Amino acid sequence: MFNKVISGTVLGIDGALINVEADLSDGLPMLTMIGYLSSSVKEAGERVRTALKNSGYYIPPKRITINLSPADIRKDGSGFDLPIAIAIVLTIGIIPDIDIDKTIIIGELGLNGEIKSVNGVLPVVYHAYENGIKTCIVPMDNAMEAALVEGMRVIGVDNLSKTLEYIQGNISIEPFDREKFNDECDVSENQYDFSEIKGQTTLKRGMEIAASGFHNVLMTGAAGAGKSMLSKRLPTIMPKLSFEESIEVTKIYSVSGMLDKKSRLITKRPFRSPHHTISNHALTGGGSIPRPGEVTLAHNGVLFLDELPEFNKNVLEVLRQPLEDKKITISRVNATYSFPADFMLVAAMNPCPCGYFPDRNKCNCTPFQIRRYQQRISGPLLDRIDINMEVKPVKYEDIFSYSEEESSGIIRARVEKARLIQKRRYMEDNISFNSQLEGKLIKKYIRLDDKVDDYFKDRLKKLELSARGIDRILKLSRTIADMADSENISEEHINEAIFYRNSGIFDYKEGR
């Protein structure tokens, strides 16, 4: 006898449908599994056999063949346990009472028949819905995640015997109630706020510009000047995630196994801060079955690299491509995986090894040591950073001041206003921020009148920037003009853009 159920697997951060086929025939009693399987899937045979026995189901002593198709897709993970068990039970003669051909089934089995949660449910269920499947049977712990797919009928299960009774029509299981969990989204207040930052007016203005246009930032300053403090608060002034962006981020964290099961949707922009000992693969993603790295986990959010020169040089250089392409492509023999990596890079560094330059009362570093330390950051990487700011220590009068600083909510309102201007402008170009302008789009949307153009060219003669550097000043100018609700870019906007592009410690005339 032959039967088939539908399951799924993850490819990158997207889903793919997998047919779980079972055949029962005469021969030596054995269970054979085929279909380009990883070791974790091959082990499913014994888990399923034991789980069925402990759930009260008798498997006749015959030859059972399980095929997971299509055979050219490598299957990995433990989510095939439940569909394999159901396929076997249906094959031995149990008649389903549900439309099994329009139901996707995912879940891991314990030896006692317990159904455990798995990673990557959201992208698989989302892909299934796009292919006409309207019902899914998933572990109870994954039901809230699957319910994010509007229109999908979600059946949450926690026990194999009850699941099989439901499939036969002997008991009923109520679909997961979305309305009951509408308030379960991640809407908790941020623990950080810009109002906690005293002084640093110029620096906060630079962060507001960066958030408005999604520009990359490098902060250079002495230890304790507030670089990390500012960076951690940057997501609180960034535009709120749209529903589509939230779904995309949630899919990434679902595949990575980092999704909080108490929250059905990620609504805050990610903030990732890896340690400087991170490897290339941990940063960009990889493995025999590639999984997202830090640049993908920071998608639609902030990737913060503290103590930038302490990172391995090879690690920093692999950032150059995703900063331009906004994605990571990983090739393997069996497939090519693409992961989104549209993040805002925020980096911080000290001006010298000891961290106190130019205060010669504290800094004993030689000019050679300072230059060698700063040269750990390559010119091409610096060229991809839009805003380069020097962070000076907070003044004592600011530290002890009782005056109220602007809150993140007030700043975010201005940022979202500038963001709305950009959204309307680029509605037909499939981009959202000024920082995403490239090639023809720069010429299309950034036009200077003759007077401002002459002024801009005169300023550029003194800076000797690369072509990429010039484009970044233009994009910064466009963002500053949007923040001022100005259609035209003025000399004032150009000056401020050049200041924030070139106010750090590096000399752009030398490509540093």
Side-chain angles (χ1 to χ4, degrees):
M1 296 180 64
F2 169 85
N3 222 307
K4 178 183 75 172
V5 300
I6 300 174
S7 187
T9 190
V10 173
L11 298 177
I13 66 164
D14 297 315
L17 296 182
I18 301 295
N19 293 316
V20 179
E21 303 170 341
D23 180 77
L24 188 69
S25 59
D26 295 330
L28 291 174
M30 62 185 301
L31 192 154
T32 304
M33 295 184 59
I34 56 177
Y36 199 7
L37 314 177
S38 68
S39 58
S40 62
V41 180
K42 292 177 182 178
E43 294 169 353
E46 287 305 313
R47 285 197 300 270
V48 169
R49 186 195 297 273
T50 306
L52 285 171
K53 182 196 71 172
N54 291 332
S55 299
Y57 285 85
Y58 171 73
I59 301 178
K62 293 190 176 185
R63 181 183 181 90
I64 301 174
T65 303
I66 304 294
N67 177 44
L68 274 61
S69 67
D72 61 341
I73 296 178
R74 183 171 174 82
K75 292 83 180 178
D76 184 51
S78 56
F80 296 107
D81 293 6
L82 183 58
I84 290 172
I86 292 175
I88 291 175
V89 170
L90 295 179
T91 302
I92 62 179
I94 292 178
I95 300 174
D97 189 55
I98 66 172
D99 188 358
I100 205 72
D101 292 331
K102 292 295 182 181
T103 301
I104 184 169
I105 304 170
I106 308 168
E108 177 185 346
L109 288 176
L111 297 184
N112 61 350
E114 177 189 4
I115 298 176
K116 304 177 181 180
S117 64
V118 296
N119 298 335
V121 165
L122 177 58
V124 173
V125 172
Y126 189 85
H127 179 76
Y129 183 79
E130 289 181 327
N131 284 271
I133 297 175
K134 307 301 182 184
T135 303
C136 67
I137 298 176
V138 298
M140 183 61 74
D141 287 341
N142 293 119
M144 192 182 298
E145 178 184 346
L148 290 172
V149 182
E150 194 71 32
M152 178 66 77
R153 184 170 178 265
V154 179
I155 305 297
V157 293
D158 56 11
N159 181 276
L160 177 58
S161 60
K162 290 182 180 179
T163 305
L164 293 172
E165 289 292 312
Y166 166 75
I167 288 174
Q168 297 173 70
N170 297 333
I171 64 172
S172 63
I173 299 178
E174 289 297 318
F176 187 82
D177 187 358
R178 287 182 180 82
E179 298 301 323
K180 181 180 178 182
F181 292 93
N182 272 345
D183 297 328
E184 293 291 330
C185 296
D186 183 10
V187 293
S188 57
E189 293 295 325
N190 289 298
Q191 59 177 315
Y192 301 116
D193 196 278
F194 256 63
S195 61
E196 300 166 341
I197 301 173
K198 299 293 185 180
Q200 302 288 22
T201 304
T202 303
L203 195 58
K204 287 191 282 189
R205 167 68 175 176
M207 285 298 196
E208 184 177 342
I209 295 171
S212 298
F214 218 68
H215 298 285
N216 300 322
V217 179
L218 172 62
M219 294 178 288
T220 309
K227 302 185 294 295
S228 298
M229 185 177 183
L230 271 161
S231 300
K232 291 177 180 178
R233 285 154 180 77
L234 178 59
T236 68
I237 67 169
M238 293 173 68
K240 294 181 179 179
L241 288 172
S242 66
F243 180 75
E244 292 75 15
E245 289 175 324
S246 292
I247 287 289
E248 193 171 23
V249 173
T250 305
K251 285 168 64 176
I252 292 169
Y253 279 74
S254 173
V255 170
S256 304
M258 300 172 63
L259 190 61
D260 184 358
K261 293 180 176 58
K262 295 180 181 179
S263 304
R264 58 181 294 230
L265 184 67
I266 294 177
T267 58
K268 293 180 181 178
R269 290 195 178 269
F271 180 84
R272 303 295 300 177
S273 181
H275 193 262
H276 63 260
T277 56
I278 191 172
S279 67
N280 290 17
H281 295 305
L283 185 67
T284 60
S288 56
I289 303 294
R291 289 290 183 263
E294 289 292 337
V295 296
T296 300
L297 293 171
H299 180 63
N300 286 330
V302 173
L303 177 66
F304 177 50
L305 302 184
D306 199 7
E307 306 296 344
L308 188 65
E310 301 301 329
F311 283 78
N312 185 290
K313 186 174 182 178
N314 291 334
V315 171
L316 293 181
E317 293 308 303
V318 300
L319 281 174
R320 288 159 56 176
Q321 184 177 357
L323 283 172
E324 289 295 317
D325 299 341
K326 308 301 181 184
K327 65 179 181 180
I328 285 286
T329 302
I330 301 174
S331 297
R332 293 292 182 265
V333 173
N334 57 300
T336 298
Y337 303 83
S338 183
F339 297 101
D342 190 1
F343 58 90
M344 181 192 297
L345 175 65
V346 178
M349 62 177 287
N350 296 328
C352 67
C354 76
Y356 291 106
F357 181 81
D359 186 351
R360 281 305 184 181
N361 292 324
K362 296 181 179 179
C363 177
N364 294 317
C365 301
T366 65
F368 174 75
Q369 289 174 323
I370 296 172
R371 185 168 60 255
R372 185 176 62 179
Y373 183 76
Q374 295 178 0
Q375 287 178 345
R376 294 181 185 178
I377 316 301
S378 70
L381 179 60
L382 283 172
D383 221 16
R384 288 166 169 82
I385 295 175
D386 302 345
I387 297 176
N388 180 20
M389 298 185 291
E390 184 177 4
V391 183
K392 297 181 179 179
V394 185
K395 298 178 181 178
Y396 286 110
E397 53 267 30
D398 289 332
I399 295 176
F400 296 104
S401 171
Y402 290 99
S403 61
E404 290 189 9
E405 302 287 343
E406 282 189 319
S407 68
S408 292
I410 294 174
I411 300 174
R412 185 173 62 245
R414 295 198 297 265
V415 170
E416 289 181 336
K417 183 179 178 181
R419 163 74 175 86
L420 184 60
I421 293 173
Q422 297 168 66
K423 183 178 180 180
R424 291 171 178 169
R425 179 188 298 132
Y426 307 130
M427 192 175 298
E428 299 178 356
D429 296 295
N430 198 31
I431 61 174
S432 301
F433 298 99
N434 290 325
S435 62
Q436 297 172 320
L437 289 171
E438 297 292 343
K440 295 180 180 179
L441 293 180
I442 293 179
K443 296 181 179 179
K444 178 180 179 181
Y445 291 111
I446 303 179
R447 296 179 179 177
L448 307 178
D449 60 38
D450 293 341
K451 180 181 177 182
V452 175
D453 187 51
D454 291 340
Y455 177 80
F456 181 50
K457 291 176 180 177
D458 183 62
R459 292 297 308 272
L460 290 180
K461 291 178 182 177
K462 303 175 183 178
L463 297 174
E464 299 181 11
L465 295 174
S466 66
R468 184 185 287 116
I470 294 172
D471 285 346
R472 294 194 180 279
I473 288 181
L474 288 172
K475 289 186 279 189
L476 268 180
S477 301
R478 180 67 271 170
T479 298
I480 295 169
D482 289 339
M483 294 171 66
D485 199 14
S486 171
E487 182 64 29
N488 299 318
I489 297 175
S490 68
E491 295 179 7
E492 181 183 353
H493 303 145
I494 293 286
N495 283 335
E496 188 172 11
I498 291 175
F499 170 78
Y500 279 108
R501 170 68 183 174
N502 199 28
S503 64
I505 63 171
F506 294 100
D507 184 1
Y508 280 88
K509 291 181 180 180
E510 297 178 4
R512 299 295 307 159

